[in-house]
Amino acid sequence: MPELPEAERARAAIEAGALHRRIAAVDDRDVYVSRPHAPGEIADALVGRELTSAHRRGKALWCETSEDGPILGLHLGMAGRIVIDEEPAPRNWDRFVLHFEDGGMLALRDKRRLGRARLEPDLDALGPDAADIGRAAFRTRVGRGSAPIKARLMDQAVIAGVGNLLADEILWQARLDPRRSAGELTDDELDRLRRAARAALRSAVRRGGAHTGDVIPARGPGAACPRCGVEMAKGRIGGRTTFWCPAEQR
DNA sequence: ACCTATGTTGATAC
DNA sequence: GGTATCAACATAGG
């Protein structure tokens, strides 16, 4: 789930429902999710403050806090989501929780525990947001290296926000073979790729998630390309399961 | 029961 | 430095 669209949805939810509410308590006991902080460290830094703004770049989320408080960084990991003013989840799935003075809450709800909460997150290593990047920057950042173009697209230091599902969707829309070396793409192909990325990201944000793409249903044994009907190819690229149309994606 | 799969990232080795 | 592999976690399904 969590790729750029889910992160944007979470950001908007925080902005709409969790700002300017005084924090009365923080549950940061999950030392894995709140690493490298010790239990209580985030709580000590946040109790008595409010979240004042919610930001996102790629899949990274962060909030500013009142009275020159620290930045609170949140990452949804592989299965996390942000819930606000809901009943507590079963099985301790609320891995990090802000309890507000008004009785409400904000939680990072995450079965897998691969999400993350931390103070003063390092955002410098993150590339420009995949939905915003300009044509020239896209060409120079993405169009280099010998790694497969799919791996390059998913490298968060190159551009931020594209995960496994969206990478397949974008490459399918652009009709590019995911195995090709990034550095060997022509400028025309890179422009095509960028247009496909912007369109896919915009559409996914509007439709509410990375799972809403046109080629996502074709991720399964024996599935056919939704455009031409040829059986989709399956392989492992950049360490991730990959589906592509062997007839159209060149 | 056991094996595989899964949207993430980060550490490690070549 | 760039690239590839594995591990972290917990759950679902064959």
Side-chain angles (χ1 to χ4, degrees):
Chain A
M1 310 177 161
E3 297 192 38
L4 186 151
E6 288 79 8
E8 173 54 26
R9 165 175 278 218
R11 188 207 64 77
I14 295 170
E15 186 173 76
L19 300 186
H20 311 299
R21 299 170 73 180
R22 190 162 303 277
I23 297 165
V26 178
D27 181 351
D28 61 359
R29 289 172 297 177
D30 190 316
V31 293
Y32 187 75
V33 167
S34 293
R35 71 190 184 287
H37 301 292
E41 204 178 325
I42 301 181
D44 289 344
L46 296 185
V47 168
R49 302 184 194 276
E50 307 170 358
L51 305 181
T52 55
S53 61
H55 307 269
R56 175 192 65 76
R57 186 152 95 240
K59 309 170 193 173
L61 297 167
W62 68 96
C63 296
E64 295 179 299
T65 59
S66 61
E67 295 143 80
D68 285 326
I71 304 279
L72 171 65
L74 295 168
H75 199 293
L76 301 176
M78 201 183 256
R81 57 197 187 97
I82 297 293
V83 300
I84 296 171
D85 296 336
E86 289 194 15
E87 292 304 307
R91 308 236 244 149
N92 279 7
W93 285 344
D94 290 344
R95 311 292 183 180
F96 176 83
V97 187
L98 303 180
H99 295 283
F100 298 116
E101 215 167 62
D102 58 27
M105 57 84 107
L106 177 154
L108 171 58
R109 183 163 295 177
D110 181 12
K111 290 186 209 190
R112 303 273 294 274
R113 289 178 80 201
L114 290 168
R116 194 148 180 198
R118 64 162 310 168
L119 300 173
E120 306 294 354
D122 178 19
L123 302 164
D124 296 341
L126 216 48
D129 192 85
D132 291 345
I133 186 170
R135 186 172 61 181
F138 190 93
R139 282 184 184 176
T140 56
R141 297 185 73 91
V142 178
R144 67 194 305 160
S146 61
I149 182 59
K150 176 173 178 184
R152 191 91 190 148
L153 267 184
M154 289 193 301
D155 185 339
Q156 303 300 302
V158 175
I159 54 169
V162 178
N164 193 38
L165 295 180
L166 275 172
D168 276 6
E169 175 75 20
I170 290 164
L171 288 160
W172 179 77
Q173 295 284 2
R175 293 176 157 87
L176 289 171
D177 188 323
R179 299 167 298 182
R180 287 179 59 190
S181 281
E184 290 170 4
L185 297 184
T186 65
D187 281 352
D188 276 355
E189 287 171 331
L190 288 166
D191 291 349
R192 213 162 83 212
L193 188 57
R194 174 173 161 275
R195 276 197 301 276
R198 290 174 65 98
L201 288 165
R202 228 194 323 263
S203 157
V205 168
R206 198 177 53 243
R207 287 145 86 165
H211 279 83
T212 59
D214 293 336
V215 81
I216 307 300
R219 299 178 68 84
C225 171
R227 273 190 310 243
C228 76
V230 163
E231 184 176 345
M232 296 288 283
K234 176 183 179 179
R236 209 165 172 78
I237 300 173
R240 316 300 307 282
T241 300
T242 302
F243 290 89
W244 72 97
C245 173
E248 294 181 335
Q249 292 180 248
R250 299 307 176 109

